[in-house]
């Protein structure tokens, strides 16, 4: 990923700004490295074209930046589920066993299985290995019947094999990158096209900066959509070419650059994004009523319009676990919010503890996928036995319960660019302590997540910014700003909820759409605040024609007066629920859980009518109410 975007804070954080350098050549930002008194930026070619965006709130900067470069398209809801990948699951029997392991053996929720490069015939894109996968359409249909989606990898390079239909077609259509020898080439000639070695051997590279080549590439996906493939994982699209680290297409290879003409030195940084764009435009043509799903490794400013991403090859160690946070937060600040790491780490082998800790963090990251390298040991939620399996299962189930909440955070991001995972400074820019926090983050409007990032640790220190925070597990309240030391045994991710939040949760499922949602639970954390819930059918494009429902919750609460510093007892809680939009969700009733309270109320009404079912929650520190679709809920204590 290359995002030539600089975000800055001035005057103790009061003034935030952004500088987007709109230049795709090899460039640099030098912030006092060469001369401590000089900050500079520039590139080896192109124009000095840049945008300066003043906030003063950084959230405003991001809103403007994504207005300029584009915003994420809403993924289908299943993309927010758990994904399982490895390099590579094959043959078909192995894939079927994986599916059965999830559904029948270990009962771990999962929405999607990823097929890495071994599904192809000799690494030829848009083909299947007929021995490993004799009947891909049949296999995928069976996986669909079990509620799985299938994503397959597609690399950038096309094997230079003149008996291979994609290569033939690319030569005929003349879409591959060429050296600047100025000759008009016969359609069968290949001598002047750039070739570089990747997995299949020598490859040609389509020129994705050409609209004609993009259309050609997009149409190739018919070979995959015809077999029922649900989404595409675009890898090696920097493009990566085998050789010393950093090897790619040489600088002087020619590109179309939208008809203007130029060299790879200019096209390089947008090559991967234009590939992803071609993929998505192709998928949208092939399936006009569906939301396209494309995961890309490479991208440039604005790639969020087309694709989601993963953070590339990490390592199975604790420092890579930590690094996930600054990476996902930085990508989010640059508009590429829908992203996540290889859970458990890509290279090397992970321990049960490391996987579980990574997964606990991953539940609060936009893209939740376990993936690992070739020849590394199994890396599935059950691979280390107990107690890991039970904990992993419980956290993945929590992810599914949180889907209404997370999907709402996705919608916010699609609407105004606000990232899903946010550094704390986005919420409290004037609190200088938050400016350098890279080991905890906010997820959506309500959650503060402080993952354990040390082997063997059973506690950690957490910074809570100003306000009242509920401990998600105990419902105890804590007051910020403060640094607190919290318990974190293996089964517990340090997790806090902002007072005043309403967190919508769904019943747990083994995959999205397993059955209709019959009841929505509103987790209410007393305080003052506005919360949102966005709902639509989760799969089609009907939301663009207004088929959605947006719910606004306004929560206020009053407490009895008391001189002690402790949180005093609640005396009254008021919750207004206002809906907008015609989409009708499947549930009829709501369950309202009021956290941090163990006294049954004196009176509780919805729209003036008394609530019949009102009980102490099993946890012992929350009150549970069963209600209909109210507009106003009022609860009073003696
Ligand atoms: O040269 O497709 O980042 O996720 O498993 C390695 C094999 C190519 C790199 C990707 C990784 C993927 C692997 N790919």
């Amino acid at each position: 990923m290359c995002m030539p975007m600089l975000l800055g804070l001035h005057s103790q954080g009061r003034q935030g700004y952004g500088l987007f350098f709109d230049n795709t050549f090899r460039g640099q930002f030098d912030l006092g490295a060469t001369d401590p008194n000089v900050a500079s930026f520039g590139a080896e070619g192109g124009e000095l074209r840049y945008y300066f965006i003043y906030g003063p709130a950084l959230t405003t900067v991001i809103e403007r930046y994504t207005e300029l470069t584009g915003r994420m398209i809403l993924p289908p809801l299943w993309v927010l589920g758990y994904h399982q990948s490895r390099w590579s699951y094959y043959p078909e029997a192995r894939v079927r066993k994986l599916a059965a392991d999830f559904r029948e053996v270990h009962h771990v929720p999962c929405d999607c299985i990823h097929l890495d490069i071994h599904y192809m015939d000799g690494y030829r894109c848009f083909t299947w290995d007929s021995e490993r996968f004799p009947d891909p359409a049949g296999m995928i249909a069976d996986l669909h019947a079990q509620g799985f989606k299938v994503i397959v990898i597609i690399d950038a390079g096309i094997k230079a094999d003149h008996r291979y239909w994609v290569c033939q077609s690319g030569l005929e259509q003349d879409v591959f990158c060429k050296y600047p020898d100025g000759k008009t080439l016969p359609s069968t000639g290949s001598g002047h096209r750039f070739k570089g070695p990747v997995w299949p051997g020598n490859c040609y590279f389509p020129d994705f900066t050409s609209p004609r080549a993009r259309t050609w590439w997009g149409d190739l996906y018919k070979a995959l959509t015809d077999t029922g493939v649900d989404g595409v994982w675009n890898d090696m699209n920097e493009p990566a070419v085998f050789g010393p680290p950093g090897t790619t297409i040489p600088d002087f290879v020619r590109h179309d650059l939208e008809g203007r003409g130029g060299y790879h030195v200019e096209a390089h940084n947008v090559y991967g994004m234009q590939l992803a764009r071609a993929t998505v435009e192709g998928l949208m043509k092939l399936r006009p009523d569906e939301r396209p799903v494309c995961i890309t490794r490479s991208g440039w400013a604005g790639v969020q319009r087309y694709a989601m991403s993963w953070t590339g090859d990490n390592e199975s160690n604790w420092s890579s676990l930590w690094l996930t946070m600054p990476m996902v937060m930085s990508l989010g600040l640059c508009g590429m919010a829908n992203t996540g790491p290889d859970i458990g780490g890509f290279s090397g082998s992970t321990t049960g503890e490391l996987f579980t800790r990574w997964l606990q963090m991953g539940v609060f990251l936009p893209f939740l996928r376990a993936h690992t390298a070739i020849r590394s040991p199994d890396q599935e939620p059950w691979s280390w036995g107990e107690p890991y399996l039970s904990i992993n299962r419980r956290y993945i189930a929590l992810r599914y319960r949180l889907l209404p909440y997370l999907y709402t955070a996705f919608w916010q991001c699609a609407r105004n660019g606000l990232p899903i995972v946010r550094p704390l400074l986005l919420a409290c820019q004037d609190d200088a302590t938050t400016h350098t926090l890279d080991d905890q983050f906010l997820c959506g409007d309500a959650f503060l997540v402080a993952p354990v990032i040390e082997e063997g640790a059973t506690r950690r220190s957490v910074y809570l910014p100003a306000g009242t925070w509920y401990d998600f597990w105990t419902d105890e309240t804590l007051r910020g700003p403060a640094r607190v030391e919290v318990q974190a045994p293996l089964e517990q991710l340090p997790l806090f909820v902002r007072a005043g939040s309403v967190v919508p949760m769904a019943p747990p499922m083994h995959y999205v759409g397993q059955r209709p949602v019959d009841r929505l639970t509103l987790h209410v954390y007393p305080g003052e605040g506005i919360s949102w819930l966005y709902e639509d059918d989760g799969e089609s494009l009907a939301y663009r024609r207004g088929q959605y429902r947006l719910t606004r919750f306004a929560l206020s609460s009053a407490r009895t007066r008391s001189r002690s510093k402790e949180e005093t007892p609640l005396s009254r809680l008021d919750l207004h629920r206002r809906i907008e939009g015609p989409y009708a969700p499947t549930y009829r009733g709501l369950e309202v859980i009021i956290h941090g309270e163990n006294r049954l109320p004196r009176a509780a009404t919805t729209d003036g009518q008394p609530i019949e079912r009102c009980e102490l929650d099993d946890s012992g520190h929350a009150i549970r109410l069963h209600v209909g679709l109210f507009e106003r809920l009022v609860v009073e204590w003696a």
Side-chain angles (χ1 to χ4, degrees), residues 85-88 116-118 153 155 198-199 233 235-236 238 240 242 297 310-314 342 346 369 371-374:
S85 182
R86 81 157 293 132
W87 177 13
S88 311
D116 205 330
I117 49 178
H118 290 93
I153 199 166
D155 287 355
V198 210
W199 292 109
W233 166 21
D235 188 22
M236 307 293 274
E238 290 77 12
F242 285 172
R297 191 167 77 174
W310 87 106
T311 57
D313 301 352
N314 56 7
D342 288 350
F346 179 72
R369 182 184 74 158
H371 180 54
T372 188
I374 190 169

Side-chain angles (χ1 to χ4, degrees), residues 194 238-241 244 246-251 264 268:
F194 168 72
E238 290 77 12
V241 176
T247 302
T248 186
I249 297 178
D251 282 359
H264 190 69
H268 180 76

Side-chain angles (χ1 to χ4, degrees), residues 60 88 106 173 280 329 331 357 382 436 469 474 488 511 571 600 619:
T60 307
S88 311
H106 301 294
Q173 301 295 314
V280 164
M329 289 193 276
L331 283 164
R357 290 304 197 186
W382 50 84
T436 50
W469 297 87
T474 64
Y511 54 91
S571 57
L600 287 177
S619 68

Side-chain angles (χ1 to χ4, degrees), residues 33-91:
T34 308
D35 176 342
N37 298 312
V38 179
S40 67
F41 64 93
E44 290 176 12
E47 311 294 327
L48 185 59
R49 180 170 58 230
Y50 63 94
Y51 299 80
F52 179 82
I53 309 171
Y54 178 63
L58 280 182
T59 47
T60 307
V61 175
I62 298 168
E63 193 172 341
R64 295 282 165 272
Y65 168 73
T66 53
E67 192 179 330
L68 184 64
T69 59
R71 296 191 175 124
M72 174 186 83
I73 49 166
L74 213 50
L77 189 56
W78 64 263
V79 166
L80 280 66
Y82 176 76
H83 298 241
Q84 184 67 49
S85 182
R86 81 157 293 132
W87 177 13
S88 311
Y89 287 120
Y90 72 91

